[in-house]
Every structure is written in C-alpha cells, then in structure tokens.
Amino acid sequence: DELLLEYQPKYDLSTGQVTGAEALVRCHSPDIGRIQPSDFIPLAEETNLIVEIGEWVIDRVCSDLARWQDTIGSPGRIAINLSLKQLRQRNFFNSVSKIFQRHGIKPTDIEFEITESTLAEDIGRTVQILETLSAYGLQLAIDDFGTGYSSLSYLHQLPVNALKIDRSFVSPSQPNLRNQTIAESIVGLSNLLGFHAIAEGIETPQQLAWLRSLQCEYGQGFLFAPPVPAAQAEQLLRDNRPFDV
C-alpha cells in the first residue's frame, strides 16, 4: 500500500477551462519517505512489476473516475501512461476491457499515453495493438514527443489523437532558440495532421502566452495546478474554474 495516485489537471488554453487530468503514480515509503518516479519506475520496468503496477493504476483511475461521474458529472478525459511491457502482454486488451466494464467506464473517457521510445520497439506490432485500442474507443497520445525516436514516417501509421510536447521544450532550464523552434514545429505538425497539441510543464504567464500564440490547444503545469491527490482533483474538476493568470 505504498503506491498512490495524483492527478494533474489539463486545461484548454483558449478558454481556460479544465478538460480532464493526467493520472500520475507515486510511491511513498513509511521508512524512507517519498520515492521519485525516476527511481522506482525504471526498477519496476526491470523487474516486470510495471505490469502489475500498470493494471493497478488503470483500475484505480477507473474507480476514481466512476465516483466522479456519479458526484460531479463528466470530469473530462483522464490520461494514463502505458509502458511497452504492458502493451506487449497478450491479455492486455482483455484486461483493460474487463476493468472498464467492472467500473462502468466508457473507453472514450480514457486517453492512453505512449512514449516515443515505446513506439520505436517493434513498430509493426505496436501499431496493431494501438489500432485495437483505438477501435475500442480509446484516445491515444504520444508522450514526450520530440525526445525519442522522432521519425515522421511512423506518424501516418499510428491511430493517435494527440502529441504531447515534452516539458524540456516548454520550460527548459536554459531556454534557447532550438528548444523554442522544436516546440513550434510540434504544434504546427499537430495542427497540420489533425492531432491535438498538449504542452507539459507550463510554469510562467510568458510561456502560456507563447503557446497560445502558436495555437497549442491544451496544457498542464504548475502555473495552473500541480499534481494533487484524488480528493483535491475532484474539487478542481467540480469547480471547473478557468485559470487566472
């Protein structure tokens, strides 16, 4: 019982309204305190525990979402990160569909995020799996776009709905023209291909104004709200107040 979920709200940058949230798994040990995802996620991948953790996350998100739908109506779409090892499980689709049915969740209420490094592994098989998930009604997004295997040749093969701009291009420790140009290119590519563009790591009003000028549709970051426990996320989704920056 050391794992927990936090949710970071996602906003429509043109209207300021909350449109959903991203679920983020956290780990807190009573002995050593909070353990960073950069420490425990790689270990979970190495030991294959990521499969069990991933299933736990999907089940918990669906449980929270079902409760929110009962209490506040539609809270928007909730994004869940997937690993390559989850996708490669033979029973992955059946497991996901059973969880949705158990909680009464529609596939269109969930968005799965897959990193570019995941896509680079056996692209043919990955496309088949993603097509199955897409046909089921799930929304799909490429996470951390621009940081991994950024071959444009695979984009037309994938049934994805969104590209997420990695925070390193939005709020880099040392801003430079190259990062800015990459972010602008990702937004332009999304608009041309009919994908949604989602920016991560928005921290300042200047970054928000810049992303709005690029016509980036959605964003999340500490400027609006940090990741928060489910109870606080429920209140944010219930209030659905436009951000004020």
Side-chain angles (χ1 to χ4, degrees):
D1 296 324
E2 296 179 3
L3 294 178
L4 56 96
L5 282 185
E6 293 183 340
Y7 294 88
Q8 185 167 37
K10 182 173 68 176
Y11 290 82
D12 184 316
L13 297 186
S14 63
T15 67
Q17 296 289 337
V18 179
T19 62
E22 178 183 4
L24 300 163
V25 64
R26 300 294 189 238
C27 184
H28 189 279
S29 166
D31 297 322
I32 59 178
R34 193 177 182 95
I35 303 173
Q36 294 301 316
S38 57
D39 292 326
F40 77 83
I41 293 295
L43 183 60
E45 291 273 4
E46 182 181 337
T47 59
N48 286 327
L49 283 172
I50 194 65
V51 174
E52 295 177 55
I53 292 174
E55 185 171 333
W56 177 87
V57 168
I58 295 172
D59 185 76
R60 181 59 61 90
V61 167
C62 287
S63 175
D64 288 341
L65 181 55
R67 185 177 66 256
W68 295 342
Q69 289 176 342
D70 286 340
T71 58
I72 63 177
S74 175
R77 188 174 291 119
I78 306 300
I80 302 173
N81 295 279
L82 293 184
S83 75
L84 176 62
K85 289 188 176 181
Q86 283 178 271
L87 280 176
R88 285 191 169 175
Q89 292 297 302
R90 291 186 179 275
N91 65 341
F92 176 70
F93 174 75
N94 290 335
S95 173
V96 168
S97 60
K98 287 178 181 178
I99 292 173
F100 285 3
Q101 291 169 15
R102 182 163 65 247
H103 294 287
I105 297 300
K106 295 182 294 184
T108 51
D109 293 330
I110 298 293
E111 179 175 73
F112 281 155
E113 296 184 2
I114 306 100
T115 63
E116 281 189 302
S117 57
T118 295
L119 295 170
E121 298 283 343
D122 194 354
I123 184 68
R125 183 179 176 188
T126 302
V127 168
Q128 290 181 341
I129 297 170
L130 296 183
E131 286 178 342
T132 300
L133 296 174
S134 178
Y136 184 53
L138 285 155
Q139 299 290 295
L140 302 170
I142 302 179
D143 196 15
D144 302 336
F145 190 78
T147 63
Y149 181 69
S150 299
S151 172
L152 300 183
S153 63
Y154 68 69
L155 277 180
H156 75 279
Q157 304 178 49
L158 298 171
V160 299
N161 309 98
L163 302 181
K164 293 196 75 172
I165 307 169
D166 187 71
R167 66 182 61 250
S168 62
F169 303 127
V170 176
S171 55
S173 56
Q174 295 181 334
N176 57 58
L177 181 60
R178 178 174 295 179
N179 284 331
Q180 182 176 341
T181 301
I182 291 173
E184 291 175 354
S185 299
I186 295 172
V187 174
L189 184 64
S190 298
N191 293 336
L192 285 172
L193 295 178
F195 299 152
H196 300 297
I198 307 169
E200 297 180 297
I202 304 174
E203 298 178 356
T204 69
Q206 291 75 22
Q207 291 165 351
L208 172 61
W210 167 57
L211 289 163
R212 278 175 156 172
S213 73
L214 299 180
Q215 296 183 317
C216 180
E217 289 183 85
Y218 302 105
Q220 58 193 82
F222 279 75
L223 179 64
F224 315 125
V228 294
Q232 290 177 250
E234 180 177 354
Q235 190 61 50
L236 283 169
L237 295 168
R238 182 193 301 274
D239 294 343
N240 196 14
R241 295 175 182 170
F243 56 72
D244 182 20
V245 294

